[in-house]
Amino acid sequence: MMMQVAPSILSADFGNLAHDVKAICDGGCDLVHVDVMDGHFVPNLTIGPVVVEAVAKASTKPLDIHLMVENNSFFVDLFAPLKPKYISFHIEEEKHPHRLIQKIRSLDISPAITLNPHTPPEAIEFLLEDIDMVLLMSVNPGFGGQSFIPSVIEKAKRLKALIEKRNPNCLIEVDGGVSDKNIELLKEAGVDIVVAGSFIYKHPNGVAKAIELLK
Ligand code: DX5
Ligand code: ZN
């Protein structure tokens, strides 16, 4: 299986957002990754449904919404009408993950769980059968352009073993500091989808070339 690529629009030019979304779609991306930050769970604020609706209009690829927020359920309600493919929430911020997963699924959206760099994969072992994807953070969430934390490679391998046992259909996505320098290690570790912001949007040869390199 070829690596799937989900460019993060956090590194796009927000003055030319529709153009920058079209560029990654024409450039062969698989998903459009949308980082939603609330200024509470992470020390940064990004975009709400008004802007994401414009992204959805410009996009020919499914949306992958990464919530970095307190009060996940409220944000699921805000973004569900935009019909994203995935909504992922941070396990560190959810008291009732199973209930939230059922809610996301009932809205016809694929539920996914995100783990911060310090959270062990075993924390979600008994949720794996209920979700479609695990998002492993390879930076501390909040900003684009940070350095890749190498221990995520070992974590992806451990998660892969748990997935084989509990739900082989569940995909692994990695987000943060992904580039041509670590893509081969990620592939070997069993990662299915990579998120990349600065590597794609700041690539000297353009977004399509950057996507092709990661694939
Ligand atoms: C960080 C976000 C990432 C970020 C990735 O909190 O979740 O999606 O935009 O950007 P790069 O690829 O530049 O690390
Ligand atoms: Zn993200």
Side-chain angles (χ1 to χ4, degrees):
M1 278 283 282
M2 205 182 259
M3 184 66 88
Q4 294 188 51
V5 177
S8 163
I9 56 158
L10 194 59
S11 295
D13 172 4
F14 274 70
N16 293 293
L17 192 52
H19 169 272
D20 277 13
V21 170
K22 287 198 182 93
I24 52 173
C25 292
D26 294 347
C29 76
D30 298 279
L31 295 162
V32 173
H33 186 82
V34 178
D35 289 304
V36 175
M37 306 184 188
D38 69 348
H40 295 278
F41 179 66
V42 288
N44 196 5
L45 255 182
T46 56
I47 52 178
V50 173
V51 177
V52 180
E53 194 177 350
V55 172
K57 252 186 217 150
S59 178
T60 56
K61 301 291 167 74
L63 300 189
D64 171 29
I65 297 190
H66 174 193
L67 297 179
M68 285 159 275
V69 299
E70 293 179 352
N71 200 350
N72 285 302
S73 182
F74 168 79
F75 281 87
V76 168
D77 288 330
L78 270 187
F79 289 101
L82 301 176
K83 300 268 167 239
K85 174 157 187 186
Y86 295 102
I87 292 185
S88 64
F89 64 89
H90 274 261
I91 194 66
E92 299 85 7
E93 192 53 48
E94 188 50 50
K95 284 200 193 89
H96 302 293
H98 199 255
R99 182 180 294 151
L100 185 63
I101 289 164
Q102 286 171 342
K103 173 174 173 163
I104 296 170
R105 181 82 71 196
S106 76
L107 293 162
D108 250 333
I109 299 164
S110 285
I113 296 183
T114 309
L115 306 186
N116 266 336
H118 73 281
T119 305
E122 289 75 15
I124 57 162
E125 177 166 3
F126 297 103
L127 294 166
L128 287 175
E129 64 186 280
D130 299 302
I131 58 176
D132 294 343
M133 182 170 82
V134 179
L135 171 50
L136 297 179
M137 291 309 297
S138 39
V139 297
N140 289 293
F143 304 93
Q146 304 180 83
S147 316
F148 184 83
I149 297 172
S151 62
V152 77
I153 300 287
E154 184 191 341
K155 191 155 118 182
K157 290 180 184 161
R158 259 164 66 178
L159 174 62
K160 186 75 181 172
L162 292 177
I163 281 177
E164 298 289 347
K165 190 162 86 179
R166 302 275 174 196
N167 176 10
N169 294 323
C170 182
L171 301 179
I172 303 178
E173 181 178 52
V174 168
D175 181 5
V178 171
S179 74
D180 54 353
K181 305 268 187 304
N182 44 42
I183 193 74
E184 277 173 37
L185 287 172
L186 290 165
K187 181 80 197 163
E188 279 166 30
V191 173
D192 304 285
I193 308 171
V194 287
V195 176
S198 45
F199 178 74
I200 290 176
Y201 276 111
K202 301 200 183 337
H203 200 280
N205 301 325
V207 296
K209 183 70 195 167
I211 292 168
E212 187 194 318
L213 282 169
L214 295 178
K215 285 188 163 282

